[in-house]
Amino acid sequence: MTIMNIVHQLQGIGVSPGIAIGRACVIRQFEPGITGETLADEAAVEREIALFREAVGRSMEELILLMAGAETAVEEILGVQVEMLHDPMWEGEVLSKIGTDRKNAGDAVLEVTQDLVNTFGSMEDEYLRARAADIEDIRKRVMRYLRTGAAGTVEGWADHFVGVHEMVGRDEHDGVSDAAAFADQILVAMDLSPSDLIALDISRVIGFATRTGGKTSHASIVARLRGIAAVVGCGEGLDFIVDGDRLVLDGVTGILLVNPAPDVVEQYVEKRKEQLATTRFLQSLKGKEAITTDGIAIHLSANIGSIEDMEQALEYGAQGVGLLRTELLFMQSNSLPTEEEQFIFYKNILVRAAGRPVTIRTLDIGGDKALPYLPFPKEDNPFLGYRAIRISLDRKDLFLTQVKAILQASVFGECRILLPMIGSVQELRQAKALIAEAKEDLTRQQLAYDADIKTGIMIEIPSAAIMADQLAKEADFFSIGTNDLIQYTLAVDRMNEKIKALYDPFHPAVLRLIRNVIEQGHLNGLPVGMCGELAGDPQATLLLLGMGLQDFSMNAPFIPVVKNIILQSSMALARAVCAKEMDNII
Amino acid sequence: MITKDYIIRAPEGIHARPAAALVKLTRQFKAVIQLQKGEKKVALNSLLNLLSVGAKGGDTISLFIEGEDEGVAADAMDRFFNDLKE
């Protein structure tokens, strides 16, 4: 069969930066069908039962091996699958289809799993509906062994995996010998499941392109984690890509070029070279301290949500964590994380930070962030509603559990507590009273904690920014959250496509509020930091420096960019920039 | 045979971790334990069975416990459902 090479440009969502130029490796998901065979005699029944048991055993071994190397969230998914493989109900039904209905093992598994997928897939509850995907994953895994009789070792399995995914134009049994040809491959798939990503040897993969998915789909997260360029949500156009097509993928713009002209490829090769040179230069700044030309040291730290982010932060030379978002821990769990689970999470991050300061923000849910297992009534104005500290002061049990976990972790490093969405002195007092209660409880239980732990507040509501002088008398530090501060000050929802142009971080009203917070903090001897997106915006660095901000916390990849500006500037220049900008306002 | 009725108090119902824990607990006893919600009655030694019942917060479920250690098993079930809040 001859396949014509098509020239094509697809627009997807860029989810992991970088330019990848390589050959397409199209992953066709393995879809076995029912054979309709009827078993001839008892011997055949015995044989099929033995085959089924062996396939389940092998699948189990495989899952356990996969779990060993997986991130916690993935491990939990795989754990549910192990439990399902053990399940007496599904085993019973498969055995009865083989023994009584005389179906072969493959057909029996397909029929039983299809019934289960239908049952779960039609459930009201979102969590239960999602279990249908687990059952499909189990079906694929067991069917692979039943229909291909693959080997069960991990090394053998990765190659086998490529084989059974039927590389187009290739005999599926040739997977192993073809492995060497995959030097620069870009994976093209419908979507990539957790087990796909663990099983594939992605050390030889320089990019992903998927038909479905978004910024938070599993493939996107893994791509960012491993530094692989990725574009997701490319749509149906992706189906026309065949194995070996030349692909150019830009993980920033989301563009995917299929078989582009040589001069276009040349442009992207140049672009990639420039990016690499910039990256290398910025990497060379990793060990350098951020000091202005006139000798003022600035603290640059990272915003993180997980232990993986912590690793990345250290990679980019972060001097600490200015914002640990604890909601990710809650969002990735299937039920409320216990005090013990939270303690372990915070402790691991503090240990990894090795004495660098870590600021832990208490739970900031509500608004656009919901927990599936903690449903709250729908609100007309969620951003003006029941969220963050407002939930914590109402659901004291949740807050106390979290604070106790943080306090117990605090002896493992340099740790501070940060309260989100504080709008008044009264709220701060209530929260501090609860923290005192948590401390007393731990003292009673004779558990160790840092008695002098600092409690600071996010300044992200205009009322707090205006009342900074009063709040400064009772808080230990300020951290300015620009995203919400801008949205609330300007009354602009930046997710609203029609008005997002009105979302202006440099609006004079916003800048005056920020300047007031920094000034009032310093007048009262309080450290003032910023952990909103503005802190990582290179256009704002000099302006913020000039206002007197000395603590910037941002997503780790921006640290070297901001550091580079600081290294080349003086405070005198920064003050001049600030004076000019603020003058322009007035 | 011992019969027990419970109201599920955890708002999310019997989800992942509690469901797995309940199945594990059930397997520790010789007694056969069945769970009924509405017309659906399933054996509790299967996670798939338990999940397929789709017990939500506020639902009433019944347990049927039968076997030589049914007394001990019933006590353990009491503890489990009383602790199942959030």
Side-chain angles (χ1 to χ4, degrees):
Chain A
M1 181 170 66
T2 345
I3 300 162
M4 248 194 344
N5 278 359
I6 42 160
V7 181
H8 209 50
Q9 173 170 341
L10 301 176
Q11 181 69 54
I13 309 163
V15 290
S16 182
I19 289 171
I21 302 171
R23 297 269 176 186
C25 165
V26 182
I27 297 181
R28 306 256 176 251
Q29 257 87 7
F30 181 65
E31 284 298 343
I34 289 186
T35 61
E37 181 194 359
T38 307
L39 300 178
D41 48 25
E42 275 308 311
V45 169
E46 296 287 313
R47 194 187 61 231
E48 290 300 313
I49 288 177
L51 261 176
F52 169 67
R53 291 204 194 282
E54 165 146 18
V56 169
R58 290 282 181 88
S59 303
M60 193 89 79
E61 282 169 29
E62 182 182 297
L63 275 171
I64 289 164
L65 282 168
L66 289 175
M67 278 167 78
E71 293 97 349
T72 322
V74 179
E75 194 186 329
E76 200 164 296
I77 297 173
L78 298 179
V80 172
Q81 296 188 7
V82 168
E83 191 55 43
M84 288 177 171
L85 269 178
H86 272 301
D87 202 278
M89 172 230 201
W90 106 282
E91 186 186 306
E93 290 196 12
V94 171
L95 293 182
S96 123
K97 286 211 189 265
I98 299 173
T100 316
D101 305 347
R102 304 262 161 162
K103 294 181 191 293
N104 65 37
D107 287 0
V109 166
L110 285 174
E111 287 182 17
V112 173
T113 49
Q114 195 51 52
D115 286 348
L116 285 168
V117 167
N118 292 345
T119 309
F120 281 96
S122 62
M123 283 198 175
E124 233 174 88
D125 186 294
E126 198 184 330
Y127 168 80
L128 293 174
R129 229 175 19 244
R131 302 284 68 73
D134 284 324
I135 296 164
E136 279 174 355
D137 224 24
I138 290 178
R139 173 177 60 198
K140 275 191 220 160
R141 218 178 279 287
V142 174
M143 288 306 293
R144 265 206 303 264
Y145 285 106
L146 287 176
R147 292 276 163 88
T148 70
T153 65
V154 158
E155 296 96 304
W157 200 68
D159 287 330
H160 155 72
F161 192 84
V162 173
V164 293
H165 276 86
E166 290 176 48
M167 315 286 307
V168 171
R170 224 176 242 133
D171 184 327
E172 70 171 69
H173 300 293
D174 273 351
V176 180
S177 57
D178 271 326
F182 297 164
D184 263 359
Q185 56 180 221
I186 294 177
L187 292 184
V188 176
M190 177 68 100
D191 196 358
L192 294 163
S193 77
S195 28
D196 290 340
L197 288 162
I198 304 169
L200 283 169
D201 179 6
I202 56 177
S203 61
R204 287 175 295 192
V205 170
I206 56 165
F208 298 159
T210 64
R211 185 173 161 184
T212 58
K215 270 199 161 62
T216 54
S217 59
H218 200 84
S220 310
I221 294 167
V222 171
R224 282 196 294 273
L225 220 65
R226 311 260 160 102
I228 295 169
V231 175
V232 303
C234 298
E236 289 167 14
L238 212 64
D239 298 350
F240 299 104
I241 296 177
V242 296
D243 237 21
D245 272 345
R246 286 173 298 122
L247 299 182
V248 171
L249 175 155
D250 187 332
V252 175
T253 59
I255 286 175
L256 177 66
L257 301 172
V258 185
N259 297 322
D263 58 316
V264 177
V265 176
E266 203 46 49
Q267 282 170 24
Y268 274 91
V269 169
E270 277 307 307
K271 200 172 160 189
R272 186 174 60 179
K273 248 188 233 157
E274 280 166 33
Q275 282 186 359
L276 282 176
T278 312
T279 311
R280 231 171 263 138
F281 168 70
L282 292 175
Q283 269 169 359
S284 71
L285 298 178
K286 181 182 163 184
K288 277 210 176 102
E289 274 188 71
I291 299 178
T292 60
T293 54
D294 43 0
I296 301 297
I298 304 297
H299 198 82
L300 299 182
S301 44
N303 298 343
I304 69 168
S306 63
I307 193 82
E308 289 85 8
D309 289 352
M310 182 75 223
E311 297 298 334
Q312 193 197 32
L314 296 173
E315 255 333 273
Y316 282 100
Q319 290 167 283
V321 173
L323 173 66
L324 168 58
R325 298 186 178 98
T326 57
E327 48 279 7
L328 291 184
L329 168 69
F330 283 72
M331 287 157 103
Q332 285 168 356
S333 302
N334 293 322
S335 55
L336 278 173
T338 62
E339 186 176 316
E340 176 72 10
E341 285 168 325
Q342 292 191 50
F343 161 71
I344 291 170
F345 175 71
Y346 306 140
K347 182 189 118 179
N348 286 344
I349 289 191
L350 280 161
V351 168
R352 195 68 191 88
R356 295 175 187 86
V358 174
T359 303
I360 305 181
R361 184 173 70 187
T362 61
L363 192 56
D364 184 7
I365 49 165
D368 55 346
K369 287 171 280 189
L371 297 179
Y373 49 83
L374 197 66
F376 296 125
K378 225 176 164 52
E379 301 184 3
D380 286 340
N381 289 304
F383 279 98
L384 304 180
Y386 190 56
R387 57 175 296 206
I389 196 76
R390 298 165 180 182
I391 295 178
S392 295
L393 294 178
D394 181 47
R395 290 291 305 268
K396 297 190 175 67
D397 51 329
L398 301 186
F399 186 66
L400 283 171
T401 303
Q402 180 169 37
V403 170
K404 279 191 260 179
I406 296 173
L407 284 170
Q408 289 174 76
S410 66
V411 294
F412 291 90
E414 186 67 39
C415 166
R416 309 194 296 177
I417 299 176
L418 178 59
L419 305 167
M421 285 282 289
I422 291 285
S424 68
V425 175
Q426 285 73 18
E427 282 173 334
L428 171 57
R429 285 183 189 155
Q430 286 174 42
K432 283 175 76 174
L434 288 170
I435 293 171
E437 192 182 322
K439 285 183 179 173
E440 278 166 31
D441 193 12
L442 293 182
T443 308
R444 262 198 305 279
Q445 296 179 57
Q446 297 188 314
L447 294 168
Y449 62 89
D450 173 8
D452 299 322
I453 194 164
K454 299 273 185 274
T455 304
I457 59 173
M458 292 283 293
I459 303 281
E460 52 189 337
I461 303 184
S463 62
I466 293 165
M467 298 304 287
D469 55 332
Q470 293 297 315
L471 287 162
K473 298 198 166 49
E474 305 198 23
D476 295 325
F477 64 92
F478 285 159
S479 185
I480 304 172
T482 50
N483 301 1
D484 275 338
L485 186 62
I486 296 164
Q487 139 161 309
Y488 291 136
T489 305
L490 304 179
V492 173
D493 174 3
R494 65 177 174 151
M495 299 303 174
N496 185 329
E497 288 294 325
K498 284 209 172 110
I499 56 163
K500 69 177 185 193
L502 296 177
Y503 182 90
D504 175 15
F506 297 93
H507 190 291
V510 174
L511 296 182
R512 282 192 193 182
L513 285 179
I514 292 174
R515 186 175 60 176
N516 182 56
V517 174
I518 296 172
E519 278 177 6
Q520 290 304 327
H522 289 171
L523 278 175
N524 290 279
L526 240 61
V528 181
M530 179 180 284
C531 60
E533 255 168 53
L534 198 59
D537 182 347
Q539 282 186 306
T541 306
L542 286 177
L543 173 61
L544 294 171
L545 266 185
M547 287 184 184
L549 190 74
Q550 295 193 331
D551 217 322
F552 293 66
S553 189
M554 62 202 81
N555 289 338
F558 291 104
I559 291 176
V561 181
V562 170
K563 192 188 278 182
N564 190 28
I565 296 173
I566 293 170
L567 284 169
Q568 292 174 40
S569 315
S570 65
M571 282 305 291
L573 171 69
R575 283 195 202 97
V577 168
C578 175
K580 185 157 173 282
E581 180 82 16
M582 299 306 276
D583 266 355
N584 276 349
I585 293 167
I586 304 158
Chain B
M1 170 146 90
I2 300 176
T3 311
K4 296 234 164 210
D5 289 333
Y6 298 100
I7 294 177
I8 308 289
R9 290 192 287 170
E12 75 273 20
I14 310 178
H15 266 190
R17 256 179 283 184
L22 182 55
V23 170
K24 264 191 205 121
L25 184 65
T26 302
R27 290 192 190 146
Q28 289 172 11
F29 303 105
K30 295 203 184 85
V32 174
I33 306 179
Q34 289 176 295
L35 180 148
Q36 180 166 11
K37 188 198 126 187
E39 312 213 317
K40 198 159 180 181
K41 191 170 178 182
V42 298
L44 254 194
N45 63 351
S46 153
L47 181 68
L48 287 168
N49 267 339
L50 175 56
L51 290 178
S52 71
V53 168
K56 296 187 292 292
D59 282 349
T60 304
I61 54 120
S62 310
L63 290 190
F64 302 88
I65 309 165
E66 188 164 19
E68 53 182 282
D69 55 356
E70 58 187 33
V72 198
D75 286 348
M77 290 295 139
D78 259 352
R79 268 198 302 282
F80 179 87
F81 281 98
N82 281 326
D83 288 347
L84 183 70
K85 276 175 216 152
E86 281 154 355

